[in-house]
């Protein structure tokens, strides 16, 4: 892993991206988005995760995160990815309505075979490329990038309309899926 992408200061906020292997559009299904969000909620409540911004797109998700505990941020990221991988694979395997079951399991199995860190399946790309947000300019740029991602993709006209994002939190709207710590 490049020295550029390491968490060096545990007290800083970081911009991270979780990407599905082969950029597969997994999060077109609500059930998989909710697995990811439930894992983040659990880590907020039990592992000291500070979630400041998020946006879940079809094949990846962006976050601004920090921590308020002793556990290293890398450990929290590892735990989220590991837990969600297992839960997503379980959901795919047991969901008789999943029309892409064979496709998804084949691709995740193929990715897992080539990664010695996995036993059988790999859902996430290996790295999350953490970028330390050590200036207000970087923080605001990443926050805007996260919130305007669905606008740039042509999914919505304004960022706060996108349900799977913290843009509604920052706009002061009451319809929010997750709690975040507002930063600016």
């Amino acid at each position: 892993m490049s020295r550029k992408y390491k968490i060096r200061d545990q007290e800083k906020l970081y911009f991270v991206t979780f990407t599905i292997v082969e950029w597969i559009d997994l999060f077109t299904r609500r059930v998989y988005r909710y697995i990811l969000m439930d894992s983040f909620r659990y880590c907020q409540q039990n592992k000291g995760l500070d979630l400041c911004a998020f946006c879940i797109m079809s094949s990846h998700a962006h976050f601004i995160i920090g921590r308020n505990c002793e556990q290293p941020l890398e450990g929290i990221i590892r735990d989220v990815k590991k837990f969600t991988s297992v839960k997503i694979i379980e959901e795919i395997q047991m969901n008789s309505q999943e029309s892409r079951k064979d496709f998804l399991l084949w691709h995740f199995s193929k990715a897992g075979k080539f990664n010695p860190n996995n036993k059988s399946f790999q859902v996430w790309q290996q790295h999350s490329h953490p970028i330390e947000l050590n200036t207000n300019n970087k923080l605001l740029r990443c926050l805007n990038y996260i919130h305007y991602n669905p606008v740039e993709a042509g999914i919505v006209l304004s960022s706060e309309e996108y349900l799977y994002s913290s843009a509604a939190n920052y706009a002061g709207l009451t319809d929010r899926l997750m709690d975040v710590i507002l930063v600016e």
Side-chain angles (χ1 to χ4, degrees), residues 83-178:
F83 175 81
T84 56
S85 292
V86 169
K87 287 297 184 192
I88 287 168
I89 294 298
E90 286 175 359
E91 180 62 34
I92 292 168
Q93 289 173 329
M94 67 182 214
N95 186 348
S96 61
Q97 300 298 309
E98 176 54 79
S99 61
R100 304 174 302 158
K101 180 183 289 196
D102 293 338
F103 168 85
L104 293 170
L105 293 175
W106 185 84
H107 282 278
F108 295 153
S109 175
K110 182 179 84 168
K113 286 178 187 171
F114 292 105
N115 186 341
N117 295 329
N118 294 320
K119 293 181 182 168
S120 55
F121 295 101
Q122 180 174 342
V123 173
W124 299 107
Q125 290 184 14
Q126 197 65 32
H127 305 291
S128 56
H129 299 289
I131 297 172
E132 184 178 306
L133 303 178
N134 53 9
T135 68
N136 283 340
N137 186 30
K138 273 188 188 177
L139 177 63
L140 291 177
R141 271 195 347 250
C142 288
L143 189 61
N144 287 331
Y145 177 81
I146 287 172
H147 290 158
Y148 284 100
N149 212 273
V151 176
E152 291 291 321
I155 299 169
V156 292
L157 293 175
S158 66
S159 58
E160 57 274 355
E161 294 174 355
Y162 191 63
L163 187 58
Y164 299 99
S165 163
S166 56
N169 301 65
Y170 281 83
L173 302 177
T174 56
D175 293 337
R176 307 181 294 242
L177 289 180
M178 293 183 57

Side-chain angles (χ1 to χ4, degrees), residues 56-71:
I56 303 172
M57 300 295 286
S58 64
S59 62
H60 63 286
H62 299 294
F63 305 96
I64 293 177
I65 58 173
R67 66 169 191 132
N68 59 40
C69 64
E70 291 299 315
Q71 183 173 0

Side-chain angles (χ1 to χ4, degrees), residues 19-35:
T19 306
I20 301 297
V21 295
E22 299 182 36
W23 288 82
I24 293 171
D25 288 326
L26 180 70
F27 296 119
T28 57
R29 305 266 196 266
R30 182 184 309 175
V31 64
Y32 307 129
R33 291 187 300 253
Y34 275 82
I35 289 170

Side-chain angles (χ1 to χ4, degrees), residues 39-54:
S39 181
F40 265 85
R41 283 188 200 99
Y42 177 85
C43 288
Q44 285 176 292
Q45 296 166 2
N46 299 290
K47 292 188 176 247
L49 175 70
D50 287 337
L51 177 63
C52 299
F54 73 95

